[in-house]
Amino acid sequence: ILEVGAHDNVDAHLTLATPDEHWQFTLSGLNLTNKVYPIGGFFIAGGFIAASEWPSLPRRWLLSAQYKL
């Protein structure tokens, strides 16, 4: 059993639209504190036979554009 303690995660999104609202641009930042914590894993025989943990994703940025007719 993998037990993950409490943690904070900071995400932010900023969206700008053109006056005619045809274009919309969004900048997103995920895991801005860049903290790494386990998000999954397994232990066999208390880790004696096998143990594996998968870390969270690092800080990442996303820029998107949307056009509406």
Side-chain angles (χ1 to χ4, degrees):
I1 297 174
L2 175 67
E3 189 173 324
V4 178
H7 61 276
D8 293 326
N9 198 11
V10 179
D11 299 336
H13 307 278
L14 174 66
T15 300
L16 299 172
T18 57
D20 62 6
E21 297 186 3
H22 284 293
W23 285 98
Q24 181 174 309
F25 302 94
T26 302
L27 176 64
S28 300
L30 304 171
N31 191 11
L32 294 177
T33 58
N34 204 27
K35 290 186 179 178
V36 177
Y37 51 89
I39 58 170
F42 64 89
F43 298 94
I44 299 174
F48 179 73
I49 296 174
S52 183
E53 289 184 2
W54 295 276
S56 61
L57 293 173
R59 179 185 303 124
R60 56 212 184 274
W61 298 95
L62 172 70
L63 177 62
S64 63
Q66 181 180 15
Y67 181 78
K68 295 179 185 177
L69 297 176

